[in-house]
Amino acid sequence: MERQGALRDEFDQVAAWIAHYFEHPESYRVMPDVRPGDVVAALPASAPETGEPFATILADFERIVVPATTHWNHPRFFAYFATSAAPAAIAAEALAATLDVKAMLWRTSPAATELEEVTMGWLGALLGLPPTWTGIIYDTASIGGFTALAAARETLGLAIREEGMTGRALPALRVYVTSETHSHVEKAAIALGIGQRNVVRVPVDGELRMRADALRECIENDRNDGKVPMAIVATVGTTSTTSVDPVRSIAAVAREFGVWLHVDAAYAGIAAIIPEFRSLLDGVELADSLVVNPHKWMFVPMDCSALFVRDESAVRRAFSLVPEFLTTPEADVVNYMDYGLQLGRRFRALKLWFVLRRFGAQGIREKLRGHIALAQEFAAWVRDEPGWEVLAPHPLSLVCFRHAPPGRDEAALEALNAAIMRAVNATGEAFMSHTKIAGKYAIRLAIGNLRTERSDVERAWQILRREAQKLV
Ligand SMILES: *Cc1c(COP(=O)(O)O)cnc(C)c1O
């Protein structure tokens, strides 16, 4: 079916489209003006019986897919955690798809395996992690976190791998988090047979940080009740407000009781490559595992999440299982299938390698510093504006705030701010999301896109005030 030159032709069309897209990502609505079901309705009910010309497919991509896409590359995407893909990494993705290796064994792609070892070593060093730790790439922080908790469960010595958790008497296994911990930890507890009720919410302080003294109390009480503390999850940069748990004092408790400490730094951990922000990871060398997401704040396209572990053998003990057809003659090589549920693995290190080299550590630091400075500036604008308030500390590039004209109760303020956010998002010019902080509804403005400029943040602030004025 492929005629001579078809591949080149298709790539040229796609490259032209991508180049054009990145010239003006701001010309799209950030959040598309579509209703649920619109895309399904625009597509045929069944797959085509015969092949179609590439140009026809690409035209439908432009006509159906692009207008129904939420444009994460838009410089005024401020929702959740803003991210973006560096062109060099997009090109690397095309190369990885071209090689199309399944990097489960060293021999099924020596380059993918060893490039992962090297790039994880580079990233670990940039983050100031102990050189003896091992980095492994997963698709997401959720799966990296699940993997760390599975390793924690394996280290308990309860023979769960062999005997399972049913049909015999086992003590309750406990996982310690806070109200601010990302929901993947609870999902991991469900999947690992720990159970939601054994996910313990340790009280937080006034700045939403886990209280180490309260953690100790929870663990002591559980021990006295015959329960087994399995893991503590500390968060550096919570998803809601970017609060930072005191890793060093939490680690001291973890050590005292011999409990696995996992540090979830999916978003904020990347900032530790900036010397003045290295303190974010203070004490992490006392933990057992750490997750950071290059796909969140390091310009690597989805998906690329790095799990670093003190003792990689704990992960292998949890997951290594080698059927005959995958036995391999090489000794002393890494076979990444031993480190998780997945067998075939994508060549994710390639795009990370391209980004680290194309930007250099300096280039990445410069971008992050720029994002943090813009967020600080925005917070100052909010603070200085009568009737507006900042609702949480903002050490990094996320600001939580609201419009709070006097004389309204919490319910009225929630309704007002939800309406403001809806109105802002409906303009298609900017996109924000929300959270609740100690019961208060807050709008979140997260900066993390390569293409976000000061003028974009100014424009967002203009739109916010304009829409607020219409609503009060
Ligand atoms: C974004 C985020 C996650 C989830 O990341 P995925 O890679 O999408 O699984 C987990 N924890 C924190 C703190 C996050 O900010």
Side-chain angles (χ1 to χ4, degrees):
M1 202 199 97
E2 292 286 325
R3 68 190 154 76
Q4 196 73 16
L7 178 86
R8 178 59 192 270
D9 194 43
E10 292 173 5
F11 251 85
D12 284 350
Q13 291 177 55
V14 168
W17 192 90
I18 295 172
H20 179 73
Y21 176 74
F22 280 123
E23 273 164 27
H24 291 291
E26 75 284 357
S27 66
Y28 297 88
R29 292 178 55 89
V30 194
M31 204 174 77
D33 189 14
V34 290
R35 280 153 309 165
D38 281 359
V39 176
V40 171
L43 295 167
S46 54
E49 196 59 39
T50 55
E52 300 179 70
F54 187 79
T56 310
I57 306 168
L58 190 60
D60 280 349
F61 168 78
E62 282 198 282
R63 183 176 64 86
I64 300 168
V65 176
V66 178
T69 293
T70 301
H71 288 279
W72 288 71
N73 284 304
H74 194 296
R76 287 190 297 277
F77 185 110
F78 296 118
Y80 311 106
F81 281 119
T83 65
S84 54
I90 296 169
E93 280 287 62
L95 297 174
T98 302
L99 299 178
D100 194 25
V101 296
K102 288 42 171 193
M104 62 258 199
L105 295 169
W106 178 85
R107 61 164 37 207
T108 61
S109 182
T113 301
E114 295 188 18
L115 199 62
E116 182 160 334
E117 294 181 65
V118 170
T119 51
M120 286 294 92
W122 288 3
L123 182 59
L126 288 173
L127 295 168
L129 301 182
T132 51
W133 282 34
T134 304
I136 309 152
I137 302 180
Y138 295 88
D139 55 355
T140 58
S142 305
I143 296 302
F146 164 83
T147 304
L149 291 180
R153 195 184 65 170
E154 189 54 30
T155 60
L156 294 175
L158 294 171
I160 291 170
R161 176 178 169 129
E162 298 78 14
E163 306 291 336
M165 297 176 79
T166 58
R168 64 188 181 125
L170 276 183
L173 309 184
R174 307 283 271 179
V175 175
Y176 305 87
V177 302
T178 74
S179 54
E180 309 302 302
T181 305
H182 192 271
S183 49
H184 79 269
V185 176
E186 193 168 330
K187 280 199 188 180
I190 296 168
L192 290 166
I194 308 300
Q196 285 172 284
R197 288 207 191 112
N198 290 309
V199 178
V200 181
R201 309 268 164 196
V202 178
V204 292
D205 67 12
E207 293 192 4
L208 305 175
R209 299 171 295 202
M210 182 186 283
R211 279 176 38 204
D213 61 320
L215 171 67
R216 169 180 280 108
E217 223 178 284
C218 291
I219 293 179
E220 276 175 345
N221 289 342
D222 279 352
R223 277 220 175 156
N224 292 338
D225 285 352
K227 295 168 179 166
V228 174
M230 185 188 97
I232 303 160
V233 179
T235 308
V236 169
T238 56
T239 315
S240 179
T241 67
T242 66
S243 60
V244 178
D245 288 337
V247 173
R248 188 172 288 281
S249 20
I250 291 169
V253 178
R255 289 262 162 133
E256 184 184 334
F257 292 95
V259 183
W260 185 289
L261 173 57
H262 176 65
V263 178
D264 177 6
Y267 152 78
I270 298 293
I273 74 170
I274 312 173
E276 62 270 28
F277 286 92
R278 174 58 184 70
S279 60
L280 282 166
L281 294 184
D282 179 53
V284 82
E285 67 280 1
L286 303 169
D288 297 282
S289 54
L290 164 80
V291 154
V292 298
N293 273 4
H295 73 221
K296 219 168 210 171
W297 203 9
M298 223 180 83
F299 320 120
V300 177
M302 188 72 187
D303 47 9
C304 181
S305 176
L307 172 71
F308 289 92
V309 286
R310 158 193 308 287
D311 174 15
E312 54 78 34
S313 77
V315 184
R316 271 190 293 120
R317 285 201 304 279
F319 286 108
S320 179
L321 188 67
V322 185
E324 179 57 34
F325 56 88
L326 290 170
T327 53
T328 190
E330 295 87 15
D332 293 328
V333 294
V334 173
N335 296 310
Y336 277 112
M337 69 171 192
D338 291 338
Y339 293 85
L341 284 178
Q342 221 178 327
L343 177 61
R345 292 172 97 249
R346 269 159 44 68
F347 190 174
R348 295 194 184 91
L350 193 67
K351 56 188 171 180
L352 180 60
W353 188 52
F354 271 50
V355 166
L356 286 169
R357 294 188 58 188
R358 191 76 180 84
F359 283 73
Q362 283 307 343
I364 296 167
R365 287 188 195 111
E366 226 166 83
K367 281 287 170 194
L368 300 192
R369 282 195 182 106
H371 292 158
I372 294 165
L374 279 179
Q376 302 313 310
E377 217 176 337
F378 176 78
W381 298 340
V382 173
R383 208 174 281 113
D384 291 346
E385 185 80 7
W388 291 77
E389 60 184 5
V390 173
L391 287 175
H394 43 85
L396 297 161
S397 70
L398 169 73
V399 183
C400 299
F401 62 99
R402 69 175 176 178
H403 188 28
R408 296 179 191 226
D409 63 13
E410 281 303 325
L413 287 176
E414 171 163 349
L416 173 63
N417 281 278
I420 293 171
M421 194 182 72
R422 265 200 310 277
V424 169
N425 291 345
T427 65
E429 279 199 69
F431 184 38
M432 294 165 204
S433 60
H434 80 281
T435 188
K436 278 209 180 157
I437 304 169
K440 294 177 178 172
Y441 187 99
I443 304 175
R444 294 167 77 265
L445 183 126
I447 300 172
N449 187 306
L450 278 173
R451 296 167 195 86
T452 300
E453 309 266 346
R454 190 171 189 273
S455 58
D456 296 304
V457 184
E458 282 174 335
R459 181 78 187 125
W461 183 219
Q462 264 174 13
I463 299 169
L464 275 161
R465 284 174 300 166
R466 185 191 70 204
E467 297 304 320
Q469 221 155 35
K470 289 190 210 160
L471 285 160
V472 290

